Amino acid sequence: MMNIQDLEKQFKREFDQVDTKTFFSPSRINIIGEHIDYNGGSVFPCAIEIGTYAIAAKRDDNIISLISTNFSHRDSFEIQSDLIYCEDKQWVNYPMGMVWSMMKRGFKVGGLNILISGNIPNGAGLSSSASLELLIGEIINVLYNDGNIDKMDLVLAGKEMENDFIGVHSGVMDQFVIGMGKKDNAILLDTETLSYGYVPLKLDGYRFVIMNTRKRRELKDSKYNERRQECERAKELLSSLRPLNHLCELDEDEFDSLSYVLTGTLLRRARHVVTENTRVKAVINAIENKDMPELGRLLNASHHSLKEDFEVTGIELDTLVSLAQIQQGCLGARMTGAGFGGCAIALVKNEEVEDFISSVSKAYAEKIGYEGEFFVSGIDDGVREL
Ligand code: GLA
């Protein structure tokens, strides 16, 4: 937990203002439904208690000035409609992009001093970027729009800016769960229609352990956009047989009967997408039936598919997940988020969590040569003023 009083003191030292508001934006794990939010599939993420805090206050001019306790780079920018991505601005591109996106939507934006402090491990695939985007969105919402902006508008502004300002062609999952998250619940989200429902995450004596490979990656430089293009191409080829808006419109039987038009890489990419979408529905059933072994089996199957068919894991994630899967009290494990490094989750019996962490941690460090990082987090509400 962050010490808010220390942050307030630091804010006063840096900006010489005391009339401030405090905000929190969570990060997320995705329980299942990976790399299908840009294929019209259903995903099942939840917001977690680790996240990004901010102390913020209005300024009378047109400047947004930002300091983060996590990065030495501090910066400010002038509010204008033609802001563009600029490498030198580093993490400040995210606040800039959010301002750009909110102005495009006609929301009021004005001068701000903001001190940011996060406890999300960076580049860990827990969506620190969407957490920061929604945080800035909520600050602008509360300080300049009387809190009247619908959370869905913040979600869509975040996605749009990620796609068109940063240049990562991500789906809507991360922004959605960070905006709309609910304590102790995961969200079943249909990414085609944006219809959603909350599912209480009662795991019957088990919990998720979050495991960080500590292999960092930035989505911008990863093969994320390449995977997205491969899915598009597979969809185009399948569309020659039947009209198709998204790969996830196909169930497994239909896919089997049509997939002869695909070969090699594209066949494997599309197979992951279609089977993963089926697994999401099966996970909901397993949770509703309190069938934890089945939930574990589905997590393992998802990882296998992401490793062999979608190829977004890598040695660190595969090592961590296979070490987790063989531990006593662990029913299943998989990578979570975009992959290429970052984090995995494991479903572990409550009483075994401590032993699980110490065994996996030791074995991982021996195999990979540096330590991983392990934590357990509660499931949290979405972005908010504290
Ligand atoms: C990243 C993207 C999401 C989603 C996941 C993979 O987190 O931001 O939109 O595609 O990867 O499931």
Side-chain angles (χ1 to χ4, degrees), residues 25-260:
S25 183
S27 57
R28 64 100 187 86
I29 54 171
N30 185 21
I31 296 167
I32 199 153
E34 217 64 88
H35 284 278
I36 61 173
D37 68 338
Y38 49 87
N39 287 300
S42 293
V43 295
F44 192 50
C46 56
I48 59 175
E49 285 167 351
I50 297 159
T52 322
Y53 293 80
I55 312 286
K58 282 185 176 183
R59 299 167 54 116
D60 322 326
D61 57 11
N62 220 18
I63 301 289
I64 297 192
S65 179
L66 293 134
I67 298 175
S68 163
T69 63
N70 303 91
F71 302 99
S72 55
H73 179 80
R74 52 169 69 193
D75 214 336
S76 59
F77 61 91
E78 198 178 335
I79 299 163
Q80 49 196 19
S81 53
D82 56 354
L83 289 165
I84 46 168
Y85 181 87
C86 167
E87 202 74 43
D88 295 346
K89 289 272 176 195
Q90 302 179 26
W91 64 275
V92 175
N93 277 300
Y94 289 87
M96 263 170 47
M98 204 56 195
V99 165
W100 168 84
S101 186
M102 290 184 74
M103 287 177 79
K104 261 183 82 179
R105 280 159 195 270
F107 297 124
K108 189 165 174 229
V109 185
L112 289 163
N113 288 325
I114 309 178
L115 172 67
I116 291 171
S117 188
N119 53 11
I120 313 172
N122 234 302
L126 298 177
S127 215
S128 54
S129 48
S131 177
L132 177 57
E133 291 157 25
L134 273 280
L135 181 74
I136 300 297
E138 185 63 3
I139 293 172
I140 294 171
N141 178 25
V142 170
L143 292 180
Y144 280 104
N145 295 270
D146 301 323
N148 287 330
I149 302 178
D150 205 276
K151 283 277 171 3
M152 265 317 286
D153 283 319
L154 295 184
V155 167
L156 296 174
K159 177 184 183 287
E160 183 180 8
M161 91 85 173
E162 186 89 45
N163 295 168
D164 299 343
F165 191 89
I166 305 288
V168 175
H169 299 291
S170 57
V172 75
M173 170 172 78
D174 299 348
Q175 288 81 10
F176 195 98
V177 66
I178 288 169
M180 309 288 284
K182 182 168 157 188
K183 196 171 170 44
D184 298 331
N185 284 257
I187 302 183
L188 177 60
L189 167 68
D190 178 333
T191 61
E192 162 72 347
T193 60
L194 294 189
S195 66
Y196 66 99
Y198 293 105
V199 179
L201 210 56
K202 295 212 179 90
L203 298 175
D204 210 32
Y206 286 79
R207 67 180 55 174
F208 284 113
V209 175
I210 302 169
M211 314 185 287
N212 184 5
T213 59
R214 292 187 56 241
K215 176 183 195 279
R216 290 196 42 156
R217 55 106 195 96
E218 303 289 341
L219 275 196
K220 201 164 163 27
D221 313 318
S222 76
K223 290 192 182 295
Y224 186 93
N225 286 346
E226 186 181 299
R227 290 294 174 276
R228 191 166 178 156
Q229 280 162 9
E230 289 163 347
C231 291
E232 272 302 308
R233 184 76 195 115
K235 188 190 80 184
E236 276 164 23
L237 291 169
L238 288 161
S239 301
S240 64
L241 301 176
R242 78 112 128 147
L244 201 57
N245 289 321
H246 292 292
L247 284 177
C248 286
E249 277 168 37
L250 298 174
D251 63 23
E252 289 188 27
D253 288 343
E254 269 176 300
F255 180 68
D256 283 345
S257 67
L258 303 177
S259 60
Y260 64 88

